[in-house]
Amino acid sequence: MKKDFYLTRYALIIKKLESAPSTYAQIEEYLLNSFEFQDAEIKSYSMRTLQRDIREISNLFNLTIHNKKRRDNRYYIDSRPMMEVDEYNQKLLESFQVSNALNLHPDFSDFIFFESRKPTGLEHFYDLFFAIRNKRIVLFEHYNYKNKKMTSRKVHPLALKESKDRWYLIAVDTKDKTLKSFGLDRINHLSVTPQKFREKYKYNFREHFKNAFGVMNLTEQNPQKIVLKCSRHQGEYIRSFPLHQSQKEVKETPDDIYFEFFLHPTYDFRQEILSYGKEVKVMEPESLIREIRQSLSDSLQAYSED
């Protein structure tokens, strides 16, 4: 068994057991018939390897796999991690699968094409992650695109949030004691100081961001019901790749699909709606309808002035 193939095995085993409980023979057949095993020219998979993989899956992904439940020799996933850990696991598995495909085939550049736009600032990610876990005060310079100014910041880092392939630091600015977000791509001269902050903040970011779309004003706490009417064509895409975890399909006609959301109508969400043009229409609330209508009017006016 190839030593660098273990992550792919873990991903395949989890995928198999998530679809249905399976015996060792069924797991073995599934693995050996997978394209991953065929490409790697792996011809066998032993019970001993399965037992070792199960232990490692438990350690790495916090997933418990058992068998012999009520005289049943099938393996099954006995416990699932918390939602936030499960999201992390999903990202990790996706990364492993892509990475393994690239490592197995050096000629991947002839077949796999990545987005050419790359986010910047990721070189700060682990330093900030370390600072958050250890409650270290952080210093940096932050650039504001709107006023085109660089300002010095001293913050208490609390969390990291991803939005549309960009990462943001969530931190309390010591200057005004306000919770703010800072784009990692706009951070320069980062310094994680030896000094720890003693404040015990009680923010529940899991709850805070549950109703957020993209990056939001962190002082906002007014999620509301939003209903979108989507053309059949666009609705199928949104159905298969939901815009937000609160998305619910509430109505369907031969021409349209209606979706309901419960979230903050942030700037990012308004921009997402506008990006669909005539394919998506806001039905409620009235305040969001007015904002979208004003944005469309402003865009038309900008073209008229030319």
Side-chain angles (χ1 to χ4, degrees), residues 16 27 44 73 84-85 103 110 112 144 167 178 185-187 189 212-213 216 263 273 276 294 304:
K16 174 63 175 173
I27 294 172
S44 64
N73 65 352
E84 55 266 35
V85 179
N103 288 332
D110 293 332
I112 300 174
N144 188 306
W167 282 93
T178 301
D185 57 321
R186 287 171 276 159
I187 288 178
H189 309 298
F213 184 94
M216 58 180 290
L263 47 72
I273 293 171
Y276 295 115
Q294 185 62 53
S304 300

Side-chain angles (χ1 to χ4, degrees), residues 77-181:
I77 295 176
D78 183 51
S79 66
R80 299 290 308 183
M82 296 179 294
M83 182 178 68
E84 55 266 35
V85 179
D86 203 23
E87 291 172 356
Y88 163 79
N89 288 340
Q90 187 61 40
K91 288 278 188 181
L92 202 58
L93 282 170
E94 290 170 359
S95 297
F96 287 161
Q97 289 171 317
V98 172
S99 177
N100 184 70
L102 303 186
N103 288 332
L104 284 176
H105 303 283
D107 60 344
F108 69 85
S109 61
D110 293 332
F111 312 104
I112 300 174
F113 301 91
F114 293 97
E115 175 61 59
S116 58
R117 292 194 308 167
K118 301 296 180 185
T120 58
L122 289 181
E123 67 271 16
H124 303 312
F125 189 94
Y126 195 85
D127 289 356
L128 291 170
F129 182 48
F130 174 86
I132 291 167
R133 288 187 296 113
N134 293 280
K135 295 187 175 182
R136 296 283 192 87
I137 294 174
V138 172
L139 308 174
F140 56 82
E141 300 288 317
H142 189 257
Y143 185 73
N144 188 306
Y145 289 138
K146 190 173 183 179
N147 59 29
K148 298 182 180 180
K149 290 183 178 180
M150 187 79 76
T151 56
S152 297
R153 305 288 181 141
K154 179 180 179 181
V155 305
H156 296 171
L158 301 179
L160 290 160
K161 186 180 189 302
E162 181 191 18
S163 176
K164 293 189 175 181
D165 295 324
R166 293 179 185 266
W167 282 93
Y168 296 83
L169 170 66
I170 310 302
V172 172
D173 192 331
T174 60
K175 183 178 180 179
D176 55 12
K177 308 297 183 182
T178 301
L179 187 67
K180 300 175 182 178
S181 62

Side-chain angles (χ1 to χ4, degrees), residues 20-24 26 66-69 72-76:
S22 306
T23 64
Y24 158 70
Q26 290 171 328
H66 286 308
N67 74 332
K68 296 183 179 179
K69 181 180 181 181
D72 189 342
N73 65 352
R74 294 180 300 170
Y75 291 86
Y76 60 95

Side-chain angles (χ1 to χ4, degrees), residues 220-266:
E220 291 181 354
Q221 288 294 340
N222 56 337
Q224 55 189 291
K225 184 176 80 169
I226 297 171
V227 178
L228 303 182
K229 181 177 80 169
C230 307
S231 68
R232 165 65 59 177
H233 173 75
Q234 190 60 56
E236 295 288 358
Y237 282 102
I238 294 175
R239 173 187 280 164
S240 65
F241 190 30
L243 299 182
H244 186 260
Q245 63 183 11
S246 68
Q247 177 174 309
K248 293 192 303 183
E249 189 173 325
V250 293
K251 183 179 177 182
E252 183 176 359
T253 70
D255 298 321
D256 303 297
I257 302 175
Y258 292 72
F259 296 102
E260 181 182 300
F261 304 85
F262 187 72
L263 47 72
H264 300 271
T266 59

